Amino acid sequence: MANSGVEKLKLYSYWRSSCAHRVRIALALKGLDYEYIPVNLLKGDQFDPDFKKINPMGTVPALVDGDVVINDSFAIIMYLDEKYPEPPLLPRDLHKRAVNYQAMSIVLSGIQPHQNLPVIRLIEEKINAEEKTVWVNNAITKGFTALEKQLVSCAGKHATGDEIYLADLFLAPQIHGAINRFQINMEPYPTLAKCYESYNDLPAFQNAVPEKQPDAPSTN
């Protein structure tokens, strides 16, 4: 483990959170040991005063590294990449690096917020469940269409070539949730589907999936 001999990192996470999912992938890729602290969003653990001291926004993930507390998934990943630079999560090539940032941004601001629990709960309460589904499907379809066009010319085995980079950390959880939670058909997005299939061969990705987390509901 890259952080052996020092205080163990603490990750406040929720099994189904795609934001926490991408951080779990980063930690695994870096070979970092950490303590998993579950925050049950359905039960409202995020509003607990003790947790609000860690993250005033009341969201996951939150990473505690000694006296350092970081609450945003992108900030956490960049912090880990700078503190533990191997393997690098950004390519040296400036154009390819920009593509990674663009793909990350589409997921981070163009898709994920529209399927967030408070948003879809509000739509269901104010309108109905059917409109909630339409809203989420529209956000994912719009984002995936843009990502497919953006990545088709630069994808290799993974999103921006044959190495794992930042874009993959954001794509994997988003596609996983789209398929398993929202039943999105990936046929119109062959590049994204190919990338997602490639992650099945990588333990760092497979060990980070929601279903394998300690707070995931039992399937027995």
Side-chain angles (χ1 to χ4, degrees), residues 19 22 72-74 103-113 170:
C19 298
R22 62 181 75 121
D72 174 82
S73 65
F74 178 52
M104 174 276 298
S105 182
I106 289 174
V107 173
L108 191 64
S109 61
I111 306 177
Q112 191 275 328
F170 281 76

Side-chain angles (χ1 to χ4, degrees), residues 83-181:
K83 185 169 182 178
Y84 306 98
E86 295 297 330
L89 297 179
L90 286 168
R92 291 189 175 184
D93 181 85
L94 291 181
H95 177 222
K96 192 174 288 188
R97 182 176 289 220
V99 173
N100 274 270
Y101 283 133
Q102 288 172 181
M104 174 276 298
S105 182
I106 289 174
V107 173
L108 191 64
S109 61
I111 306 177
Q112 191 275 328
H114 299 284
Q115 64 180 49
N116 218 5
L117 185 59
V119 173
I120 59 177
R121 270 182 170 174
L122 182 64
I123 293 173
E124 189 168 15
E125 290 172 4
K126 297 296 183 180
I127 308 177
N128 54 53
E130 182 178 339
E131 188 60 31
K132 174 195 71 175
T133 302
V134 172
W135 172 271
V136 172
N137 286 352
N138 179 66
I140 296 176
T141 299
K142 182 179 179 180
F144 278 8
T145 300
L147 285 165
E148 179 69 25
K149 291 178 179 178
Q150 182 185 90
L151 298 177
V152 65
S153 62
C154 65
K157 185 177 181 181
H158 308 303
T160 58
D162 292 334
E163 302 296 329
I164 290 292
Y165 288 125
L166 183 71
D168 299 292
L169 274 65
F170 281 76
L171 283 179
Q174 183 57 60
I175 298 173
H176 184 89
I179 294 172
N180 295 286
R181 187 178 176 191

